[in-house]
Amino acid sequence: MASRRGSGSVMLPTGQTLAFHTRTNEDDDLPHATKKKMADHLRKYESLFTLTPQRMRMIVEAFKETLEAGLARNGQIVPMIPTYVFGWPSGKETGNYLAIDLGGTNLRVCLVTLEGEGKFEITQSKYRLSEEQKQEDGQKLFDFCAECLKAFIDTNIEGGVIGKTEILPLGFTFSYPCSQDRIDHGELIRWTKGFGALNTEGHDVVAMFRQSLSKFSVPANVVALTCDTTGTLIASHYVNPKTRIACIFGTGCNAAYMERVGDIPKIKTLGIAEDAEMAINCEWGAFDSFEHENLPRTKYDAIIDDTSNKPGEQAFEKLISGRYLGEILRLIICELIDEGVLFLGQNTYKLEIPYSFDTAFLSLMESDPTDELLMVIGIFTHFFAVETTLAERQFFRALAKLVGRRAARLSACGIAAIVSKMGYLDEGCAVGADGSLYNKYPGFADKIHEGLVDIFGERGRCVALRARQCVPVLTAGAQEHRDVPCGGWERDWKCHRRSHDEGAERRRAVPQLLRHAFARLVGRCVDSEVKTQTV
């Protein structure tokens, strides 16, 4: 099979694959791009991925118009879905509740105990979703959810946390666009985040989930369907009453806020009091879909869109969400390989695999604390079997920063649109934020703040992003566990450097440290990992 310039592979009669590398000079060292050449290319990508404040303000105005259109009429690109969640929590709510959250990467099952005064406790289990589960029949997906919930409840019954005959109310967090006419019903409009489960779009997902709960005799009663963003909005306000907006920056992206019913023309005929407030699930990942008139798409973004399972859709999401940032960087690298700039004489087939460059790699590259950029060495050596020079590694890290900064500044545009529309700028507001990109990508929140200041000037500092406040405690052995995405491996690396001064020894240690850092960063967990969170 032919590979990229300077490398390839052949199939032997035994069925084994033999890789070969063609050197382009007679020296033992592989040819590499010079520092000057890398700098020249970097300037090109800086012009492609840099957003000026003026361009950001133009995006904000277009975003506001799109949000208003979604409130006025059904069937709009950004649907602005009424959630039938009315008003804010008082902070005095108490009791035990079950919750199940079907996200883009994991399924989470939770037992939530509200204690009043903004305090709560969570016991939860996480289950990793396979790519096969995301594409198979939808009823099988809900069967899996029901089985996980049943196992979770049985475990807590055995532990005496849930009564044997107790049937708890269940909130179903379903983070995909649904049309709702009541709080316990929702028809899936379209899958996002790479999902494509069959026989689900256009169906009531609550009814499908209830069918699975009945099949496995799960003692739970679904009382509400919501998305993760609406859940974050209400939960964040429960802890911090200044919260007015919630955003998710993870595998996908979304926002929610509370809107006056009188300002939602498309539900005027329902007879709801105009002064009532209802949470709106924006589903803003669809902004600028199909038309592509407002967002600064590059050819790499266009390739991702064209080759996705939903071409033309979710245009905003494809520029800012964690599912796609690593792929953007991989496409740039592959282009430079094709042009003969990178990895001459090396087999690059692993880099040619779509979505093989995880967004977590960008996080590691940006936060590498070593002068030699040893974490970047580890990524390319351990996962892609290619060698790099310091100039190339500096170039890759600079590219990662460009891609990540653009995503954060575009995210700021979405927040600014809601802030401007609702008039929150003068009084200030808090934005509840969650998601793997926000929580684990170094400096992502700071870059969003920087973007808000560029859009609004100094008044942009009145908009404060706040992560969901929780300190997880592993129930096993009551051992405290805090999710520190990058600090953990930095401490391990510094300890390692103190005990090993030789460069060669440090390089040999990179794969082990990289695996440790990567595992922490992406938050992979065993199926039955249980955590208790108290706030």
mmCIF file of all heavy atoms in Angstrom, residues 458-493:
data_model
loop_
_atom_site.group_PDB
_atom_site.id
_atom_site.type_symbol
_atom_site.label_atom_id
_atom_site.label_comp_id
_atom_site.label_asym_id
_atom_site.label_seq_id
_atom_site.Cartn_x
_atom_site.Cartn_y
_atom_site.Cartn_z
ATOM 1 N N GLU A 458 -13.781 46.856 28.193
ATOM 2 C CA GLU A 458 -13.611 46.539 29.611
ATOM 3 C C GLU A 458 -14.890 46.013 30.251
ATOM 4 O O GLU A 458 -14.848 45.290 31.237
ATOM 5 C CB GLU A 458 -13.100 47.768 30.373
ATOM 6 C CG GLU A 458 -11.638 48.093 30.101
ATOM 7 C CD GLU A 458 -10.732 46.923 30.475
ATOM 8 O OE1 GLU A 458 -10.843 46.412 31.606
ATOM 9 O OE2 GLU A 458 -9.926 46.511 29.621
ATOM 10 N N ARG A 459 -16.043 46.383 29.693
ATOM 11 C CA ARG A 459 -17.315 45.890 30.251
ATOM 12 C C ARG A 459 -17.438 44.374 30.115
ATOM 13 O O ARG A 459 -18.225 43.745 30.831
ATOM 14 C CB ARG A 459 -18.493 46.574 29.574
ATOM 15 C CG ARG A 459 -18.603 48.055 29.910
ATOM 16 C CD ARG A 459 -19.976 48.581 29.545
ATOM 17 N NE ARG A 459 -20.291 48.400 28.126
ATOM 18 C CZ ARG A 459 -21.522 48.517 27.605
ATOM 19 N NH1 ARG A 459 -22.539 48.798 28.385
ATOM 20 N NH2 ARG A 459 -21.704 48.351 26.311
ATOM 21 N N GLY A 460 -16.667 43.786 29.200
ATOM 22 C CA GLY A 460 -16.686 42.332 29.054
ATOM 23 C C GLY A 460 -16.232 41.597 30.299
ATOM 24 O O GLY A 460 -16.543 40.413 30.483
ATOM 25 N N ARG A 461 -15.515 42.299 31.190
ATOM 26 C CA ARG A 461 -15.068 41.664 32.438
ATOM 27 C C ARG A 461 -16.225 41.446 33.406
ATOM 28 O O ARG A 461 -16.067 40.736 34.408
ATOM 29 C CB ARG A 461 -13.989 42.524 33.098
ATOM 30 C CG ARG A 461 -12.767 42.744 32.216
ATOM 31 C CD ARG A 461 -11.617 43.418 32.949
ATOM 32 N NE ARG A 461 -10.570 43.808 32.016
ATOM 33 C CZ ARG A 461 -9.664 42.965 31.519
ATOM 34 N NH1 ARG A 461 -9.672 41.703 31.901
ATOM 35 N NH2 ARG A 461 -8.743 43.397 30.659
ATOM 36 N N CYS A 462 -17.381 42.026 33.125
ATOM 37 C CA CYS A 462 -18.556 41.833 33.980
ATOM 38 C C CYS A 462 -19.213 40.474 33.757
ATOM 39 O O CYS A 462 -20.114 40.084 34.505
ATOM 40 C CB CYS A 462 -19.588 42.937 33.725
ATOM 41 S SG CYS A 462 -18.998 44.592 34.112
ATOM 42 N N VAL A 463 -18.796 39.787 32.698
ATOM 43 C CA VAL A 463 -19.328 38.451 32.409
ATOM 44 C C VAL A 463 -18.324 37.432 32.934
ATOM 45 O O VAL A 463 -17.207 37.326 32.429
ATOM 46 C CB VAL A 463 -19.556 38.254 30.899
ATOM 47 C CG1 VAL A 463 -20.171 36.889 30.629
ATOM 48 C CG2 VAL A 463 -20.438 39.363 30.339
ATOM 49 N N ALA A 464 -18.725 36.689 33.955
ATOM 50 C CA ALA A 464 -17.797 35.777 34.630
ATOM 51 C C ALA A 464 -18.182 34.332 34.362
ATOM 52 O O ALA A 464 -19.310 33.915 34.656
ATOM 53 C CB ALA A 464 -17.795 36.040 36.131
ATOM 54 N N LEU A 465 -17.261 33.574 33.767
ATOM 55 C CA LEU A 465 -17.484 32.150 33.562
ATOM 56 C C LEU A 465 -17.096 31.397 34.825
ATOM 57 O O LEU A 465 -16.053 31.655 35.420
ATOM 58 C CB LEU A 465 -16.656 31.631 32.385
ATOM 59 C CG LEU A 465 -17.320 31.704 31.011
ATOM 60 C CD1 LEU A 465 -17.391 33.147 30.541
ATOM 61 C CD2 LEU A 465 -16.579 30.845 30.007
ATOM 62 N N ARG A 466 -17.941 30.464 35.222
ATOM 63 C CA ARG A 466 -17.666 29.681 36.419
ATOM 64 C C ARG A 466 -17.937 28.212 36.121
ATOM 65 O O ARG A 466 -19.011 27.860 35.644
ATOM 66 C CB ARG A 466 -18.546 30.133 37.590
ATOM 67 C CG ARG A 466 -18.363 31.608 37.937
ATOM 68 C CD ARG A 466 -19.155 31.999 39.168
ATOM 69 N NE ARG A 466 -19.101 33.435 39.394
ATOM 70 C CZ ARG A 466 -18.088 34.059 39.997
ATOM 71 N NH1 ARG A 466 -17.054 33.348 40.428
ATOM 72 N NH2 ARG A 466 -18.114 35.368 40.175
ATOM 73 N N ALA A 467 -16.942 27.375 36.414
ATOM 74 C CA ALA A 467 -17.125 25.938 36.246
ATOM 75 C C ALA A 467 -18.055 25.413 37.323
ATOM 76 O O ALA A 467 -18.187 26.004 38.402
ATOM 77 C CB ALA A 467 -15.784 25.217 36.321
ATOM 78 N N ARG A 468 -18.736 24.296 37.027
ATOM 79 C CA ARG A 468 -19.540 23.656 38.063
ATOM 80 C C ARG A 468 -18.640 23.282 39.229
ATOM 81 O O ARG A 468 -17.589 22.664 39.052
ATOM 82 C CB ARG A 468 -20.211 22.395 37.513
ATOM 83 C CG ARG A 468 -21.294 22.684 36.521
ATOM 84 C CD ARG A 468 -22.223 21.522 36.375
ATOM 85 N NE ARG A 468 -21.512 20.277 36.133
ATOM 86 C CZ ARG A 468 -22.102 19.106 35.959
ATOM 87 N NH1 ARG A 468 -23.399 19.017 36.014
ATOM 88 N NH2 ARG A 468 -21.408 18.020 35.727
ATOM 89 N N GLN A 469 -19.050 23.643 40.429
ATOM 90 C CA GLN A 469 -18.213 23.449 41.595
ATOM 91 C C GLN A 469 -18.464 22.064 42.180
ATOM 92 O O GLN A 469 -19.549 21.780 42.655
ATOM 93 C CB GLN A 469 -18.527 24.501 42.655
ATOM 94 C CG GLN A 469 -18.362 25.917 42.145
ATOM 95 C CD GLN A 469 -18.920 26.921 43.124
ATOM 96 O OE1 GLN A 469 -19.090 26.628 44.288
ATOM 97 N NE2 GLN A 469 -19.208 28.107 42.639
ATOM 98 N N CYS A 470 -17.438 21.197 42.131
ATOM 99 C CA CYS A 470 -17.581 19.882 42.732
ATOM 100 C C CYS A 470 -16.209 19.320 43.036
ATOM 101 O O CYS A 470 -15.276 19.482 42.271
ATOM 102 C CB CYS A 470 -18.350 18.917 41.835
ATOM 103 S SG CYS A 470 -17.665 18.715 40.201
ATOM 104 N N VAL A 471 -16.108 18.667 44.201
ATOM 105 C CA VAL A 471 -14.872 18.008 44.594
ATOM 106 C C VAL A 471 -15.176 16.531 44.715
ATOM 107 O O VAL A 471 -15.757 16.074 45.685
ATOM 108 C CB VAL A 471 -14.342 18.542 45.942
ATOM 109 C CG1 VAL A 471 -13.070 17.821 46.331
ATOM 110 C CG2 VAL A 471 -14.087 20.029 45.844
ATOM 111 N N PRO A 472 -14.847 15.706 43.676
ATOM 112 C CA PRO A 472 -15.185 14.299 43.712
ATOM 113 C C PRO A 472 -14.393 13.546 44.766
ATOM 114 O O PRO A 472 -13.229 13.813 44.981
ATOM 115 C CB PRO A 472 -14.824 13.792 42.311
ATOM 116 C CG PRO A 472 -14.140 14.881 41.620
ATOM 117 C CD PRO A 472 -14.190 16.112 42.455
ATOM 118 N N VAL A 473 -15.075 12.607 45.421
ATOM 119 C CA VAL A 473 -14.428 11.747 46.406
ATOM 120 C C VAL A 473 -14.727 10.308 46.048
ATOM 121 O O VAL A 473 -15.890 9.913 45.963
ATOM 122 C CB VAL A 473 -14.947 12.048 47.826
ATOM 123 C CG1 VAL A 473 -14.260 11.160 48.837
ATOM 124 C CG2 VAL A 473 -14.720 13.496 48.181
ATOM 125 N N LEU A 474 -13.682 9.526 45.777
ATOM 126 C CA LEU A 474 -13.892 8.127 45.428
ATOM 127 C C LEU A 474 -14.452 7.387 46.634
ATOM 128 O O LEU A 474 -13.915 7.473 47.737
ATOM 129 C CB LEU A 474 -12.576 7.492 44.990
ATOM 130 C CG LEU A 474 -12.047 7.935 43.626
ATOM 131 C CD1 LEU A 474 -10.688 7.304 43.384
ATOM 132 C CD2 LEU A 474 -12.999 7.550 42.523
ATOM 133 N N THR A 475 -15.527 6.632 46.443
ATOM 134 C CA THR A 475 -16.122 5.910 47.561
ATOM 135 C C THR A 475 -15.248 4.751 47.998
ATOM 136 O O THR A 475 -15.293 4.341 49.139
ATOM 137 C CB THR A 475 -17.512 5.382 47.161
ATOM 138 O OG1 THR A 475 -17.368 4.575 45.992
ATOM 139 C CG2 THR A 475 -18.453 6.533 46.875
ATOM 140 N N ALA A 476 -14.481 4.189 47.077
ATOM 141 C CA ALA A 476 -13.631 3.058 47.435
ATOM 142 C C ALA A 476 -12.542 3.521 48.392
ATOM 143 O O ALA A 476 -11.642 4.257 48.018
ATOM 144 C CB ALA A 476 -13.004 2.445 46.193
ATOM 145 N N GLY A 477 -12.634 3.086 49.650
ATOM 146 C CA GLY A 477 -11.626 3.439 50.636
ATOM 147 C C GLY A 477 -11.687 4.900 51.040
ATOM 148 O O GLY A 477 -10.787 5.399 51.707
ATOM 149 N N ALA A 478 -12.772 5.602 50.671
ATOM 150 C CA ALA A 478 -12.923 7.015 51.015
ATOM 151 C C ALA A 478 -11.697 7.838 50.627
ATOM 152 O O ALA A 478 -11.310 8.777 51.280
ATOM 153 C CB ALA A 478 -13.191 7.175 52.519
ATOM 154 N N GLN A 479 -11.058 7.460 49.530
ATOM 155 C CA GLN A 479 -9.853 8.152 49.076
ATOM 156 C C GLN A 479 -10.239 9.368 48.244
ATOM 157 O O GLN A 479 -11.000 9.263 47.291
ATOM 158 C CB GLN A 479 -8.980 7.207 48.238
ATOM 159 C CG GLN A 479 -7.711 7.877 47.715
ATOM 160 C CD GLN A 479 -6.932 6.936 46.827
ATOM 161 O OE1 GLN A 479 -7.370 5.835 46.558
ATOM 162 N NE2 GLN A 479 -5.789 7.386 46.363
ATOM 163 N N GLU A 480 -9.702 10.519 48.626
ATOM 164 C CA GLU A 480 -10.034 11.741 47.902
ATOM 165 C C GLU A 480 -9.406 11.719 46.516
ATOM 166 O O GLU A 480 -8.281 11.288 46.337
ATOM 167 C CB GLU A 480 -9.539 12.956 48.678
ATOM 168 C CG GLU A 480 -10.013 14.265 48.036
ATOM 169 C CD GLU A 480 -9.538 15.462 48.816
ATOM 170 O OE1 GLU A 480 -8.461 15.382 49.410
ATOM 171 O OE2 GLU A 480 -10.246 16.478 48.808
ATOM 172 N N HIS A 481 -10.175 12.180 45.539
ATOM 173 C CA HIS A 481 -9.688 12.223 44.159
ATOM 174 C C HIS A 481 -10.129 13.524 43.537
ATOM 175 O O HIS A 481 -11.305 13.856 43.530
ATOM 176 C CB HIS A 481 -10.289 11.062 43.353
ATOM 177 C CG HIS A 481 -10.104 11.215 41.874
ATOM 178 N ND1 HIS A 481 -8.913 10.993 41.255
ATOM 179 C CD2 HIS A 481 -10.972 11.595 40.905
ATOM 180 C CE1 HIS A 481 -9.044 11.208 39.961
ATOM 181 N NE2 HIS A 481 -10.284 11.584 39.731
ATOM 182 N N ARG A 482 -9.185 14.299 43.025
ATOM 183 C CA ARG A 482 -9.515 15.557 42.354
ATOM 184 C C ARG A 482 -9.069 15.463 40.901
ATOM 185 O O ARG A 482 -7.972 15.018 40.631
ATOM 186 C CB ARG A 482 -8.814 16.741 43.037
ATOM 187 C CG ARG A 482 -9.217 16.908 44.494
ATOM 188 C CD ARG A 482 -8.365 17.975 45.183
ATOM 189 N NE ARG A 482 -8.607 17.971 46.608
ATOM 190 C CZ ARG A 482 -9.506 18.740 47.212
ATOM 191 N NH1 ARG A 482 -10.229 19.551 46.498
ATOM 192 N NH2 ARG A 482 -9.686 18.694 48.508
ATOM 193 N N ASP A 483 -9.952 15.907 39.994
ATOM 194 C CA ASP A 483 -9.608 15.889 38.569
ATOM 195 C C ASP A 483 -8.721 17.080 38.251
ATOM 196 O O ASP A 483 -9.204 18.193 38.099
ATOM 197 C CB ASP A 483 -10.873 15.945 37.706
ATOM 198 C CG ASP A 483 -11.633 14.644 37.770
ATOM 199 O OD1 ASP A 483 -10.974 13.611 37.918
ATOM 200 O OD2 ASP A 483 -12.872 14.676 37.684
ATOM 201 N N VAL A 484 -7.415 16.859 38.151
ATOM 202 C CA VAL A 484 -6.470 17.904 37.774
ATOM 203 C C VAL A 484 -5.903 17.521 36.420
ATOM 204 O O VAL A 484 -5.054 16.639 36.322
ATOM 205 C CB VAL A 484 -5.331 18.032 38.803
ATOM 206 C CG1 VAL A 484 -4.415 19.176 38.420
ATOM 207 C CG2 VAL A 484 -5.906 18.259 40.199
ATOM 208 N N PRO A 485 -6.413 18.116 35.337
ATOM 209 C CA PRO A 485 -6.086 17.612 34.012
ATOM 210 C C PRO A 485 -4.621 17.679 33.636
ATOM 211 O O PRO A 485 -4.120 16.796 32.976
ATOM 212 C CB PRO A 485 -6.934 18.497 33.082
ATOM 213 C CG PRO A 485 -7.275 19.693 33.883
ATOM 214 C CD PRO A 485 -7.343 19.249 35.306
ATOM 215 N N CYS A 486 -3.936 18.717 34.028
ATOM 216 C CA CYS A 486 -2.548 18.846 33.594
ATOM 217 C C CYS A 486 -1.580 18.926 34.762
ATOM 218 O O CYS A 486 -0.455 18.487 34.658
ATOM 219 C CB CYS A 486 -2.384 20.090 32.715
ATOM 220 S SG CYS A 486 -3.330 20.014 31.194
ATOM 221 N N GLY A 487 -2.031 19.495 35.890
ATOM 222 C CA GLY A 487 -1.125 19.676 37.011
ATOM 223 C C GLY A 487 -0.528 18.377 37.505
ATOM 224 O O GLY A 487 0.616 18.326 37.948
ATOM 225 N N GLY A 488 -1.313 17.280 37.428
ATOM 226 C CA GLY A 488 -0.830 16.005 37.939
ATOM 227 C C GLY A 488 0.408 15.517 37.214
ATOM 228 O O GLY A 488 1.404 15.144 37.822
ATOM 229 N N TRP A 489 0.343 15.552 35.859
ATOM 230 C CA TRP A 489 1.503 15.025 35.137
ATOM 231 C C TRP A 489 2.675 15.983 35.216
ATOM 232 O O TRP A 489 3.826 15.581 35.141
ATOM 233 C CB TRP A 489 1.144 14.670 33.696
ATOM 234 C CG TRP A 489 0.832 15.791 32.773
ATOM 235 C CD1 TRP A 489 -0.397 16.235 32.427
ATOM 236 C CD2 TRP A 489 1.757 16.599 32.048
ATOM 237 N NE1 TRP A 489 -0.303 17.267 31.543
ATOM 238 C CE2 TRP A 489 1.000 17.508 31.276
ATOM 239 C CE3 TRP A 489 3.146 16.642 31.961
ATOM 240 C CZ2 TRP A 489 1.580 18.451 30.447
ATOM 241 C CZ3 TRP A 489 3.725 17.586 31.123
ATOM 242 C CH2 TRP A 489 2.947 18.461 30.389
ATOM 243 N N GLU A 490 2.406 17.291 35.411
ATOM 244 C CA GLU A 490 3.511 18.227 35.584
ATOM 245 C C GLU A 490 4.285 17.909 36.857
ATOM 246 O O GLU A 490 5.513 17.924 36.882
ATOM 247 C CB GLU A 490 2.976 19.663 35.645
ATOM 248 C CG GLU A 490 2.506 20.186 34.287
ATOM 249 C CD GLU A 490 1.947 21.578 34.398
ATOM 250 O OE1 GLU A 490 1.997 22.161 35.494
ATOM 251 O OE2 GLU A 490 1.448 22.098 33.384
ATOM 252 N N ARG A 491 3.556 17.600 37.944
ATOM 253 C CA ARG A 491 4.240 17.262 39.182
ATOM 254 C C ARG A 491 5.050 15.983 39.016
ATOM 255 O O ARG A 491 6.189 15.873 39.459
ATOM 256 C CB ARG A 491 3.224 17.091 40.316
ATOM 257 C CG ARG A 491 2.612 18.388 40.786
ATOM 258 C CD ARG A 491 1.887 18.174 42.096
ATOM 259 N NE ARG A 491 0.799 17.218 41.942
ATOM 260 C CZ ARG A 491 -0.422 17.543 41.572
ATOM 261 N NH1 ARG A 491 -0.713 18.793 41.318
ATOM 262 N NH2 ARG A 491 -1.362 16.627 41.462
ATOM 263 N N ASP A 492 4.455 14.980 38.349
ATOM 264 C CA ASP A 492 5.166 13.720 38.126
ATOM 265 C C ASP A 492 6.421 13.959 37.312
ATOM 266 O O ASP A 492 7.468 13.372 37.560
ATOM 267 C CB ASP A 492 4.260 12.717 37.386
ATOM 268 C CG ASP A 492 3.064 12.328 38.233
ATOM 269 O OD1 ASP A 492 3.169 12.467 39.467
ATOM 270 O OD2 ASP A 492 2.052 11.918 37.659
ATOM 271 N N TRP A 493 6.289 14.862 36.283
ATOM 272 C CA TRP A 493 7.438 15.100 35.414
ATOM 273 C C TRP A 493 8.561 15.783 36.174
ATOM 274 O O TRP A 493 9.730 15.445 36.042
ATOM 275 C CB TRP A 493 7.018 15.938 34.228
ATOM 276 C CG TRP A 493 8.177 16.247 33.351
ATOM 277 C CD1 TRP A 493 8.768 17.441 33.171
ATOM 278 C CD2 TRP A 493 8.904 15.311 32.568
ATOM 279 N NE1 TRP A 493 9.820 17.318 32.314
ATOM 280 C CE2 TRP A 493 9.925 16.020 31.923
ATOM 281 C CE3 TRP A 493 8.791 13.948 32.339
ATOM 282 C CZ2 TRP A 493 10.832 15.418 31.078
ATOM 283 C CZ3 TRP A 493 9.687 13.343 31.488
ATOM 284 C CH2 TRP A 493 10.692 14.062 30.880
#
